[in-house]
Amino acid sequence: MVHRSRAHMEKLKLGDAVPRAATAQRGKGFSLELRQQIAALGPLPRESLEVFVDLGLSDGEMARYFKVPETCISKLCHIWGIR
């Protein structure tokens, strides 16, 4: 909520639209299979993995929880730099 409030304040001060931060397109460059597995992690897949890693779960435990292959968890943690 803080981010939105700051953007609204900037808009009020400037009287113009506030540019949004550039974000990479979600799943760009991933195979269809991996994108489907990422979708199984929920609306915030990276954040979900970060939380589970912080809780100390292994790749196998996370894979069983999300019902995806263990290699998917390992690959995403590597790609997203989690750990």
Side-chain angles (χ1 to χ4, degrees):
M1 189 70 181
V2 173
H3 180 283
R4 286 184 178 176
S5 297
R6 187 176 69 235
H8 289 297
M9 291 303 295
E10 288 180 34
K11 186 172 182 178
L12 288 172
K13 289 178 188 175
L14 299 174
D16 201 2
V18 177
R20 293 181 183 245
T23 56
Q25 185 179 2
R26 179 179 273 185
K28 184 178 180 181
F30 293 156
S31 69
L32 176 61
E33 181 181 14
L34 187 56
R35 283 184 286 164
Q36 290 171 338
Q37 293 166 350
I38 290 171
L41 303 180
L44 300 169
R46 182 178 182 156
E47 289 81 359
S48 296
L49 282 184
E50 288 173 342
V51 168
F52 279 80
V53 167
D54 286 345
L55 290 172
L57 275 71
S58 68
D59 289 357
E61 291 169 323
M62 289 185 274
R64 283 190 296 280
Y65 180 82
F66 291 113
K67 298 179 181 145
V68 296
E70 187 173 341
T71 56
C72 167
I73 300 296
S74 302
K75 187 177 203 174
L76 290 174
C77 285
H78 176 74
I79 291 169
W80 290 334
I82 300 172
R83 294 203 187 160

